[in-house]
Amino acid sequence: MNTRPPQPEQLVSEVKAGPGGAMTDEVGVITGDLTIATRPLADGHAHIAIQYTDADEWYSLTGSPVPVPAEGLAALHEQVMERVRHGDGAEAPR
């Protein structure tokens, strides 16, 4: 029996990156108005994707995928949002 609450399919939020932006695997640092999507994976990790808000292309936030903490996907998503708001080449929490 699974005692963990069901995880959402994904969490998506818009954020303004702080100075120095967020680091991606594909294109390096991106800045400005960004959208972050945190999606659970079957192995207990989560993939964190990031894009310029309203763009078509999504990128992997450097350090993703990461383990989902005991506090759940929403807590991880909030940690990512705080890191990107801070900027400084934000990466996924380790």
Side-chain angles (χ1 to χ4, degrees):
M1 183 166 134
N2 186 355
T3 59
R4 292 185 79 162
Q7 295 290 323
E9 185 173 314
Q10 72 176 357
L11 298 172
V12 179
S13 300
E14 294 181 8
V15 63
K16 184 165 190 71
M23 182 66 68
T24 70
D25 291 345
E26 297 85 359
V27 296
V29 171
I30 61 175
T31 61
D33 294 325
L34 305 174
T35 301
I36 298 170
T38 306
R39 180 175 46 91
L41 304 173
D43 67 357
H45 287 72
H47 180 261
I48 303 161
I50 191 166
Q51 71 172 172
Y52 290 105
T53 299
D54 296 327
D56 292 330
E57 301 85 13
W58 285 91
Y59 309 111
S60 293
L61 187 65
T62 298
S64 174
V66 296
V68 175
E71 299 83 16
L73 192 69
L76 174 61
H77 186 73
E78 188 56 39
Q79 288 176 358
V80 172
M81 298 289 292
E82 286 300 318
R83 285 171 175 253
V84 173
R85 281 186 197 108
H86 180 263
D88 199 25
E91 298 185 4
R94 300 188 193 277

